[in-house]
Amino acid sequence: MSDFSKEDIRAAVAAGVLNEQQAVGLLTLAQERLGIRDHLIDEDEPFEFFKGFSEIFVTVGLWLLLSGVIGLGAVMKGGIGIGVLGMVLTWGFALYFTKNRRMNLPSMSLAAGFGMFLAGTVISIFGTNVDLTGLHVIIMAGVGMVGMLIYYRVFKLPFTMFVFGIFGLIMVYAIMGLRGAKFSIFDFPDGLFDLGNNSGFAIGSLIFGFAAFALGIWFDTKDPHRISRYSATGFWLHILAAPAIVNTIALTLVNSGGTKGYLLTALLLFVVTILSLVIDRRSFLTAGIGYFALLIPWMTPQYASGETGMVFTLLVLGVLITALGTWWVQIRSWLMRLLPDFPFKDRFPPYIRGQND
């Protein structure tokens, strides 16, 4: 019989054979016996979009079917009825593809579809002849958040919290709109992220980002070994939090102009790098890549100017990101040993032998 892998343990948790606590204990014992933590070879940040082309094929079929439902609603002017039908169909398919077959991509598509049909149903209840106001949008987003929480509770699908977060972002922007914030597509990205513009939407982006980050950290600390749905849920929340936080603060600093603005942006990216390593999430660094690209020409004007400037910037940025990706585990281990103890330090992914035993 072949040895069990970490993926086998994750599958056992997903299938309900083991609970999260049992899985962590089993994984800790196995790692101790194999000395894995001494060699620090397990560096993956688990993420699986689909398992095979069959999932792509099924997803295409599902979206064709759901598109047909939407088209039927448009032709028949079905309104609420089509929205409810779409919710019933996505929920029913999820019972099979998510709970039974455990197919990733179809499950994610069905969760997104359920959220869209739920939003459409709520809007239809308001009536087609009613001009949507900020209050209507807030109600729709609130119902959507509650609906996705129920969906998460039933299907335990991590991606559900991404859709939940989208509804949360819509609610925050709608609240800021009611408070007088204005936004035009021509103002993007400054209108959404530059605090210097006195934009309520930028403040909303920051509030949402920190809220999503806090929730993501809560899920992360429940599963430091990253073998259950909790860490995967945290992954999707960090995907939402990273661009909201990094773009808002970095764009504000960059647009402030001058040497001070660039120095503060460099300091921010340094802090973001440290934070990414501590929580072991690469999404924050990914969100900051564009600002790294802005800083390189400013820091090395003698090399990053003229016709070769873009080439030089790409080379330096490529070396930086590749090096961080290659030696991520080693750098993180060194950093975590260097940092003093702080709250929840022992609840982040292990970096030394015997941690979280």
Side-chain angles (χ1 to χ4, degrees):
M1 181 177 178
S2 60
D3 294 333
F4 281 98
S5 68
K6 197 171 184 178
E7 291 303 318
D8 294 321
I9 298 177
R10 289 192 184 115
V13 173
V17 176
L18 298 175
N19 60 37
E20 284 82 2
Q21 185 177 4
Q22 292 170 332
V24 168
L26 178 60
L27 182 63
T28 299
L29 176 62
Q31 288 181 334
E32 284 296 298
R33 288 172 59 84
L34 294 173
I36 286 178
R37 292 181 198 166
D38 288 338
H39 299 288
L40 295 171
I41 62 174
D42 191 9
E43 58 182 280
D44 184 35
E45 186 177 346
F47 172 69
E48 190 174 43
F49 203 66
F50 58 88
K51 298 176 182 176
F53 195 82
S54 63
E55 293 200 1
I56 299 177
F57 193 74
V58 170
T59 301
V60 170
L62 287 172
W63 275 110
L64 288 173
L65 176 59
L66 296 178
S67 297
V69 173
I70 296 173
L72 181 64
V75 172
M76 300 182 61
K77 299 184 179 356
I80 298 175
I82 294 300
V84 172
L85 175 61
M87 291 169 57
V88 171
L89 285 175
T90 51
W91 189 282
F93 282 130
L95 289 173
Y96 177 70
F97 290 110
T98 304
K99 290 187 74 71
N100 188 9
R101 294 287 298 276
R102 303 190 184 280
M103 300 177 77
N104 289 337
L105 189 57
S107 297
M108 293 163 64
S109 298
L110 289 168
F114 179 83
M116 288 192 299
F117 281 116
L118 176 58
T121 301
V122 175
I123 291 174
S124 297
I125 292 175
F126 296 140
T128 57
N129 297 323
V130 176
D131 293 332
L132 289 179
T133 65
L135 181 59
H136 289 138
V137 175
I138 291 172
I139 294 173
M140 180 273 291
V143 173
M145 293 174 70
V146 172
M148 297 319 295
L149 284 177
I150 296 173
Y151 196 96
Y152 181 81
R153 176 74 175 177
V154 173
F155 296 104
K156 299 177 174 58
L157 179 70
F159 179 77
T160 305
M161 294 305 290
F162 180 86
V163 184
F164 168 85
I166 295 297
F167 278 120
L169 182 60
I170 293 172
M171 174 178 283
V172 170
Y173 283 160
I175 292 173
M176 292 301 168
L178 285 180
R179 295 175 60 87
K182 303 295 183 182
F183 174 73
S184 168
I185 190 65
F186 300 105
D187 295 333
F188 183 83
D190 293 6
L192 287 183
F193 300 116
D194 187 359
L195 295 169
N197 278 351
N198 295 320
S199 169
F201 288 111
I203 297 173
S205 296
L206 199 59
I207 293 173
F208 168 79
F210 281 120
F213 175 73
L215 189 57
I217 291 295
W218 183 80
F219 277 105
D220 279 348
T221 55
K222 289 176 67 69
D223 181 25
H225 289 275
R226 294 186 173 169
I227 58 174
S228 73
R229 71 181 186 275
Y230 293 122
S231 64
T233 302
F235 168 86
W236 287 109
L237 289 167
H238 287 305
I239 289 293
L240 291 171
I245 295 174
V246 175
N247 282 323
T248 302
I249 301 177
L251 189 62
T252 301
L253 295 175
V254 168
N255 286 348
S256 66
T259 301
K260 180 181 178 181
Y262 279 95
L263 285 175
L264 289 175
T265 303
L267 177 61
L268 169 69
L269 293 178
F270 175 76
V271 173
V272 166
T273 302
I274 299 300
L275 175 65
S276 298
L277 288 164
V278 168
I279 66 176
D280 201 15
R281 290 293 186 186
R282 295 158 178 83
S283 54
F284 281 86
L285 266 182
T286 304
I289 287 178
Y291 300 99
F292 278 107
L294 285 176
L295 285 177
I296 292 172
W298 176 76
M299 297 175 66
T300 58
Q302 68 273 31
Y303 300 109
S305 60
E307 296 180 355
T308 61
M310 179 62 72
V311 175
F312 178 81
T313 300
L314 290 174
L315 287 172
V316 173
L317 189 59
V319 170
L320 174 65
I321 299 302
T322 301
L324 273 172
T326 302
W327 291 290
W328 181 275
V329 170
Q330 291 83 351
I331 295 172
R332 180 174 184 269
S333 177
W334 170 81
L335 175 65
M336 295 296 279
R337 291 170 186 264
L338 184 65
L339 291 175
D341 289 339
F342 56 83
F344 299 109
K345 184 178 182 180
D346 61 343
R347 297 304 300 162
F348 290 118
Y351 57 94
I352 57 175
R353 177 181 175 138
Q355 186 189 1
N356 293 336
D357 289 358

